[in-house]
Amino acid sequence: MLKEQLEDVEKRIQAACDRSGRRREDVTLIAVSKTKPVSTLQEAYDLGIRVFGENKVQELTEKYEALPKDIHWHMIGHLQTNKVKYIVDKVDLIHSVDSLRLAETIEKEAEKHNCHANILLEVNVAEEESKFGLKTNEVIPLVEKIAYLPHITVRGLMTIAPFVDNPEKNRTIFADLQKLYVDIKKKNIDNVNVSILSMGMTNDFEVAIEEGATMVRIGTAIFGARNYNI
Ligand SMILES: *Cc1c(COP(=O)(O)O)cnc(C)c1O
């Protein structure tokens, strides 16, 4: 079942790339494995998946210990400053930085662990009350501040679009994030090297790819529905 679902997602990513004149290799699939057991991740690994996204620090570190070391781990969930130390040297990318305080903590812990942290700034493009993330107009000032921190680099932007019945409703949100991304690139800020646009989930990843996503975070379409009660 996992194999078929992965193949289906892969086909849909390819089709969205074809429709928008983009190359498949310019879009990274992050398999969002939160709540799924290690055995399921191992199964995905055996099918060739090497990039996994998790949203909880403890779950990520447990899976990190249990699974092969050539996996690339992405922290996609809200991150508390007191937990940065557990993951800073284990993840390739933190998708969810939304304050200077969190960036400064990542800087401090990266220095301590003798590593370099790659981050995305999470933008709440739709300004939903219930969501974390920066407002659009807060992004460039924060990028300029983080640029001074030597152990952390802003690689791009991330958004979680609203849950909608029709993914077309999120198209302008993805387009707006892409515009902001281009604005940051144009500013050529020292120590800022943006090349990543993390947007699109099970319900809307095709539209996100059409609007320029370079990373899609897909859980349900690969692993099936999550059960939070176990
Ligand atoms: C859970 C989660 C996803 C994946 O969601 P699906 O709808 O299951 O594809 C993507 N991004 C973030 C930040 C998540 O927390």
Side-chain angles (χ1 to χ4, degrees):
M1 202 169 88
L2 185 55
K3 183 166 184 284
E4 285 72 31
Q5 284 168 185
L6 263 171
E7 283 169 0
D8 180 60
V9 166
E10 190 48 58
K11 264 191 218 141
R12 289 167 62 191
I13 292 174
Q14 183 65 61
C17 286
D18 293 345
R19 277 197 299 280
S20 48
R22 304 193 53 213
R23 296 183 309 179
R24 173 64 189 88
E25 61 264 37
D26 294 337
V27 180
T28 302
L29 168 62
I30 301 174
V32 176
S33 47
K34 63 191 188 198
T35 78
K36 300 296 172 184
V38 165
S39 58
T40 302
L41 279 74
Q42 181 67 54
E43 205 186 319
Y45 179 92
D46 294 338
L47 291 165
I49 296 293
R50 292 293 179 273
V51 187
F52 290 91
E54 289 283 338
N55 70 337
K56 296 223 157 56
V57 166
Q58 190 179 345
E59 193 174 338
L60 191 155
T61 54
E62 282 171 13
K63 288 172 175 173
Y64 175 93
E65 294 306 332
L67 285 156
K69 287 294 166 276
D70 62 341
I71 288 176
H72 300 280
W73 295 98
H74 287 234
M75 176 61 192
I76 62 173
H78 182 65
L79 182 56
Q80 289 171 288
T81 51
N82 62 341
K83 294 195 174 158
V84 171
K85 57 178 176 279
Y86 301 117
I87 58 150
V88 71
D89 57 348
K90 298 184 177 63
V91 299
D92 276 36
L93 188 63
I94 299 170
H95 288 235
S96 44
V97 176
D98 63 357
S99 70
L100 183 60
R101 193 169 92 92
L102 178 57
E104 285 172 341
T105 305
I106 295 169
E107 163 66 25
K108 196 179 72 191
E109 292 298 335
E111 185 176 15
K112 258 194 219 164
H113 287 80
N114 205 11
C115 66
H116 192 93
N118 291 308
I119 65 153
L120 305 180
L121 295 182
E122 179 173 351
V123 190
N124 183 359
V125 183
E127 300 200 4
E128 287 179 282
E129 291 280 344
S130 59
K131 292 229 171 97
F132 294 106
L134 298 154
K135 291 186 182 155
T136 300
N137 63 4
E138 295 171 326
V139 173
I140 289 178
L142 183 56
V143 171
E144 287 170 337
K145 291 193 182 99
I146 297 173
Y148 288 101
L149 306 177
H151 297 86
I152 175 172
T153 303
V154 177
R155 298 285 177 198
L157 303 176
M158 178 271 230
T159 197
I160 303 173
F163 186 82
V164 288
D165 46 10
N166 177 0
E168 285 298 332
K169 288 185 181 160
N170 283 336
R171 190 178 289 278
T172 56
I173 287 174
F174 297 140
D176 285 351
L177 194 70
Q178 204 270 347
K179 254 184 244 154
L180 182 59
Y181 167 81
V182 171
D183 286 347
I184 296 169
K185 264 184 191 266
K186 277 196 203 138
K187 282 183 111 52
N188 268 321
I189 306 163
D190 278 351
N191 188 36
V192 176
N193 183 2
V194 295
S195 59
I196 299 172
L197 206 44
S198 169
M199 55 189 197
M201 306 172 29
T202 289
N203 280 307
D204 53 20
F205 69 88
E206 289 145 305
V207 173
I209 291 170
E210 288 166 15
E211 296 301 326
T214 69
M215 282 185 180
V216 288
R217 310 178 308 267
I218 303 181
T220 309
I222 296 173
F223 296 110
R226 287 177 291 271
N227 181 353
Y228 287 99
N229 301 319
I230 48 169

